[in-house]
């Protein structure tokens, strides 16, 4: 195999199994085959392709289900039945389908990477066809309005070197290489997920990174699904990596039936699914996250906000460990290769908000949310620890909370986000002035509750002063009515930011009134027995389009119950 390249794609054996060169020593290459290698024998041919593992990029990605190396699973099922025949290699994008193309560029105009040649519509999205990487010069031709397949020539570019290069709508990109951009920008817009504990307590930004670690059954997959369904990214890339196949089947069943609350179109239309489930070959699992992020970057480059979910990055790391073991590399902690940390960092570093290349100057973003499944829920293991070092949001799922049916089981004491300061302006401009202050008040009350927990445990609540009792009472309301949010409740599954804000206001007002009342000699028992306390318990399930009335009424009731007829705050 002299002359072969690292990470070059090869076809191994008479069945032409797809594999990748992962080790080279003199003229011997080590090949990681993405499929079952049973029956492959010495002497069978290995054919080099000359190119690294790459994905096909172009119109037709949205709504499609791929395996880890971008084979279209629906096409495979139609042609081969329920199982992938070994060595199957089918084009990722439909060559026959025609797209209505509208030119943007004009002949003689300058053509640099990122220049918009024209657009096609992909569902409700404008799919911008850009001048690909490596081509620079001037357009000699641009196709007129009309229907073209992705392999038809839509433009010609005369390069500085004097070559006339035909350009089609399809591009290839090596998955392990980050796609270039002009400039990294500071993220400032929250990725709104409709999940209260995330948006209001531990927010993520468009272009941000987050990890969801948790033991088995704590709700990692449900969190990922909720984000894929409800977050306000334009496009979702969902990588099901080494987890159970039926979870991906759930996505396939649910998404076409669900509508995006913002556009009213089926959720599947904005989603690309990459499935490398636990029953599929381990080797392709390693590739699947790269396939996913490359597709995400491709849409980012058109100026979209893309969010990628990977469930679970631990299975990806295990695949790395397995491959490294076979290469007889020196194992590091827990048997993971020494480069585990740099691989994880390299993956998360591909997230970000950027100014894209080219004259358009558009901004786009890729947000990355990775689930981590530490064995036994032990967060001190290497995958969790190395992920923690690179992500900026940490939603720690807690087995005890899940056991107590407190969902989402995100622990409010051990989770954190480094983005609240970045997004507070957005909340101020779009929702209300007091978001930051109320957030701090609520987190302080929860913190207080945990400090008091030990005393309460030892001697009971009765010895506490009234204001501490009030903290416990309000903390309970925060947990039960604000933090608990069922993914399966038809209303509460998605909580718009305005409603989150109003819930925070009612709860913090209640805490404020309570404090005043205690100052005037009332007891917490008196306060807790007011009917308005009951009203606070049901806020989440108040319909999203009528909550304002209900909330205003609650505010008035609260004011009068506490004997201050202020008519509510405005
Ligand atoms: N937000 C939620 N709302 C309601 N139930 C939840 C929620 N999150 C998790 N659950 C429950 O917990 C179960 C396990 O969650 P899952 O996401 O599959 O765990 P994991 O992926 O961490 O193993 C779910 O099937 C569901 O019953
Ligand atoms: Mg799971």
């Amino acid at each position: 195999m002299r002359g072969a390249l690292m990470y070059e794609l090869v076809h191994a054996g008479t069945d032409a199994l797809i594999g990748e060169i992962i080790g080279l020593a003199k003229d011997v290459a080590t090949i990681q085959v993405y499929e079952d290698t049973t029956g492959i024998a010495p002497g069978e041919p290995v054919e080099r392709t000359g190119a690294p593992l790459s994905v096909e990029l172009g119109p037709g990605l949205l709504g499609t289900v791929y395996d880890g190396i971008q084979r279209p699973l629906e096409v495979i099922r139609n042609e081969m039945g329920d199982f992938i025949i070994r060595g199957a290699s089918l084009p990722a994008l439909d060559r026959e389908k025609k797209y209505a193309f509208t030119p943007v560029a004009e002949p003689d105009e300058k053509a640099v990477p990122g220049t918009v040649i024209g657009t096609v519509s992909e569902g409700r999205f404008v799919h911008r066809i850009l001048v690909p990487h490596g081509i620079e010069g001037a357009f000699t031709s641009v196709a007129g309005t009309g229907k073209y397949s992705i392999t038809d020539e839509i433009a010609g570019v005369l390069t500085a070197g004097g070559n006339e290069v035909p350009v089609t709508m399809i591009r290839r990109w090596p998955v392990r290489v980050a796609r270039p951009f002009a400039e990294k920008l500071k993220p400032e817009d929250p990725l709104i997920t409709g999940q209260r504990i995330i948006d209001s307590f531990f927010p993520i930004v468009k272009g941000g990174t987050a990890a969801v670690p948790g033991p088995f059954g704590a709700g990692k997959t449900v969190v990922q699904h909720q984000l894929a369904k409800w977050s306000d990214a334009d496009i979702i890339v969902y990588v099901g990596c080494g987890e159970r196949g039926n979870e991906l089947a759930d996505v396939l069943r649910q998404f076409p039936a669900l509508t995006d609350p913002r556009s009213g179109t089926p959720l599947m239309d904005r989603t690309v699914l990459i499935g490398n489930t636990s029953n599929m070959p381990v080797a392709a699992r390693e590739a699947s996250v790269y396939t996913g992020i490359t597709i995400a970057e491709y849409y980012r480059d058109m100026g979209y906000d893309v969010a990628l979910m990977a469930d679970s990055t631990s299975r990806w790391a295990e695949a790395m460990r397995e491959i490294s073991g076979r290469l007889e590399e020196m194992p590091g902690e827990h048997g993971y290769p020494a480069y585990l940390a740099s691989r994880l960092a390299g993956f998360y570093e591909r997230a970000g908000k950027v100014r894209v290349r080219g004259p358009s100057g558009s901004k786009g973003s890729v947000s990355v949310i990775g689930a981590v499944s530490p064995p036994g829920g032990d967060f001190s293991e290497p995958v969790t620890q190395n992920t923690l070092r690179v992500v900026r949001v940490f939603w720690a799922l807690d087995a005890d909370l899940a056991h107590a049916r407190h969902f989402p089981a995100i622990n409010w004491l051990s989770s954190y986000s480094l983005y609240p300061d970045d997004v507070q302006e957005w909340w101020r401009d779009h929702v209300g002035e007091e978001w930051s202050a109320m957030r701090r008040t609520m987190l302080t009350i929860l913190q207080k509750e945990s400090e008091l927990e030990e005393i309460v445990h030892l001697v009971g609540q009765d010895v506490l002063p009234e204001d501490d009792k009030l903290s416990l009472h309000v903390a309970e309301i925060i947990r039960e009515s604000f933090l608990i949010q069922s993914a399966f409740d038809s209303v509460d599954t998605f909580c718009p930011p305005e409603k989150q804000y109003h819930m925070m206001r009612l709860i913090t007002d209640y805490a404020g009134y309570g404090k005043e009342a205690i100052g005037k000699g009332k007891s917490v028992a008196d306060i807790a027995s007011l009917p308005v306390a009951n009203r606070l318990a049901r806020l989440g399930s108040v319909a999203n389009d009528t909550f304002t009335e209900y909330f205003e009424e609650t505010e008035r009731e609260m004011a009068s119950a506490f004997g201050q007829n202020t008519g509510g705050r405005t």
Side-chain angles (χ1 to χ4, degrees):
M1 293 292 280
R2 197 176 292 279
L5 308 168
M6 271 301 276
Y7 298 118
E8 184 174 344
L9 201 73
V10 297
H11 294 291
T14 39
D15 286 338
L17 306 183
I18 300 168
E20 199 182 3
I21 295 181
I22 54 164
L24 281 172
K26 293 198 180 130
D27 58 350
V28 175
T30 305
I31 296 166
Q32 162 194 312
V33 173
Y34 292 128
E35 301 176 82
D36 179 13
T37 49
T38 310
I40 204 163
E44 287 187 37
V46 174
E47 203 181 303
R48 291 175 48 195
T49 63
L53 177 66
S54 303
V55 286
E56 281 189 352
L57 302 168
L61 290 165
L62 297 181
T64 312
V65 190
Y66 292 110
D67 78 350
I69 50 173
Q70 213 201 5
R71 292 187 293 191
L73 293 179
E74 271 163 299
V75 179
I76 287 183
R77 190 193 46 203
N78 293 340
E79 293 194 4
M80 307 181 180
D82 284 348
F83 293 93
I84 306 177
I85 294 173
R86 293 200 307 164
S89 129
L90 288 165
L93 296 172
D94 190 339
R95 300 290 191 268
E96 311 295 320
K97 188 168 175 182
K98 302 248 183 207
Y99 291 91
F101 174 82
T102 312
V104 172
E106 294 190 16
D108 299 326
E109 203 180 307
K110 250 181 87 177
V112 295
T115 305
V116 182
I117 305 172
T119 61
V120 299
S121 33
E122 190 177 7
R124 69 187 162 92
F125 293 96
V126 177
H127 190 115
R128 298 183 183 91
I129 311 291
L130 310 176
V131 171
H133 183 70
I135 295 183
E136 207 161 328
F139 288 107
T140 49
S141 64
V142 176
T145 307
K147 294 201 135 197
Y148 302 90
S149 76
I150 54 172
T151 49
D152 290 336
E153 180 175 334
I154 45 142
V157 174
L158 183 67
T159 65
N163 295 327
E164 167 108 41
V165 187
V167 181
T168 65
M169 290 197 251
I170 189 171
R171 278 114 193 67
R172 299 189 68 79
W173 191 265
V175 295
R176 292 177 203 278
V177 179
R179 285 172 61 84
F181 49 82
E183 180 192 4
K184 213 155 210 178
L185 304 170
K186 188 175 151 57
E188 54 202 3
D189 292 333
L191 179 74
I192 294 296
T193 67
Q195 313 303 303
R196 286 187 289 271
I197 187 160
I198 294 179
D199 294 344
S200 291
F201 280 9
F202 308 109
I204 175 171
V205 289
K206 294 196 171 88
T209 50
V212 202
F216 179 76
K220 299 178 292 295
T221 302
V222 174
V223 167
Q224 296 272 47
H225 283 193
Q226 287 297 91
L227 263 55
K229 283 176 191 166
W230 309 124
S231 67
D232 67 346
D234 298 312
I235 286 163
I236 302 292
V237 178
Y238 192 96
V239 187
C241 177
E243 293 288 311
R244 292 187 299 275
N246 58 350
E247 294 178 345
L248 221 55
D250 281 346
V251 177
L252 283 175
R253 256 196 306 272
Q254 292 173 9
F255 278 38
L258 289 169
T259 51
D260 179 351
R262 295 170 193 90
S263 71
T265 53
L267 278 176
M268 199 59 204
D269 292 0
R270 66 162 191 174
T271 309
V272 183
L273 266 180
I274 315 235
N276 190 260
T277 52
S278 51
N279 57 345
M280 290 161 95
V282 176
R285 204 182 284 170
E286 217 268 313
S288 63
V289 296
Y290 293 108
T291 298
I293 200 143
T294 307
I295 294 174
E297 288 171 342
Y298 175 68
Y299 282 97
R300 172 203 71 187
D301 291 346
M302 290 176 217
Y304 288 116
D305 292 312
V306 188
L308 175 136
M309 286 94 207
D311 187 12
S312 144
T313 57
S314 295
R315 306 282 164 261
W316 168 47
E318 284 161 18
M320 244 187 266
R321 174 165 68 185
E322 194 167 324
I323 292 159
S324 161
R326 295 208 186 128
L327 281 172
E328 297 177 2
E329 291 170 342
M330 179 82 82
E333 239 185 313
H334 289 227
Y336 288 104
Y339 46 80
L340 172 73
S342 61
R343 286 280 168 89
L344 282 168
F347 169 64
Y348 283 104
E349 265 159 26
R350 289 174 74 169
K353 178 175 172 177
V354 303
R355 186 182 309 288
V356 305
R357 298 214 301 173
S360 75
S362 312
K363 295 172 190 171
S365 68
V366 173
S367 314
V368 175
I369 299 118
V372 185
S373 11
D378 169 17
F379 288 179
S380 69
E381 59 87 45
V383 181
T384 315
Q385 285 301 312
N386 285 306
T387 303
L388 257 176
R389 250 172 242 148
V390 290
V391 298
R392 299 180 66 84
V393 182
F394 192 69
W395 299 312
L397 295 181
D398 187 313
D400 291 339
L401 289 174
H403 196 74
R405 309 294 301 159
H406 175 116
F407 286 118
I410 298 176
N411 185 312
W412 51 90
L413 299 171
S414 48
S415 300
Y416 65 79
S417 161
L418 300 180
Y419 296 122
D421 291 347
D422 299 323
V423 301
Q424 60 176 350
E425 210 163 304
W426 183 94
W427 280 91
R428 201 171 51 221
D429 295 348
H430 293 84
V431 187
E433 292 282 337
E434 290 161 77
W435 179 78
S436 273
M438 295 191 300
R439 174 178 178 273
R440 266 196 304 277
T441 305
M442 288 169 81
L443 284 169
T444 308
I445 293 171
L446 290 170
Q447 186 69 43
K448 184 85 195 165
E449 180 190 41
S450 95
E451 286 164 21
L452 294 171
E453 202 162 53
E454 202 169 343
I455 305 178
V456 172
H457 210 73
L458 287 172
V459 291
Q461 269 208 32
D462 292 346
V463 300
L464 294 177
E466 287 301 306
D467 57 343
D468 282 350
K469 280 190 207 160
L470 180 71
S471 293
L472 294 179
H473 171 57
V474 177
E476 186 180 338
I477 292 179
I478 296 174
R479 284 188 282 107
E480 309 262 315
S481 71
F482 190 75
L483 297 185
I484 290 184
Q485 184 177 1
S486 171
F488 306 116
D489 182 286
S490 58
V491 173
D492 211 19
T493 185
F494 173 78
C495 186
E498 295 73 19
K499 187 172 162 190
Q500 299 187 30
Y501 185 85
H502 279 96
M503 289 174 79
M504 290 168 89
R505 201 172 78 173
L506 285 176
I507 294 170
T508 50
D509 280 357
Y510 181 79
Y513 283 134
K515 202 166 172 186
E516 278 173 37
I518 283 171
K520 289 180 193 150
K522 288 263 188 299
S523 73
V524 173
D526 297 335
I527 296 167
S529 66
L530 294 172
V532 70
N534 273 331
R535 273 187 90 112
L536 292 182
R538 284 175 282 118
L539 298 177
S541 53
V542 181
N544 288 343
D545 46 2
T546 55
F547 74 86
T548 331
E549 290 156 40
Y550 183 90
F551 282 23
E552 279 167 3
E553 208 180 298
T554 309
E555 188 77 38
R556 278 194 297 275
E557 194 184 310
M558 193 148 75
S560 71
F562 281 98
Q564 328 191 340
N565 261 309
T566 60
R569 283 189 13 211
T570 47

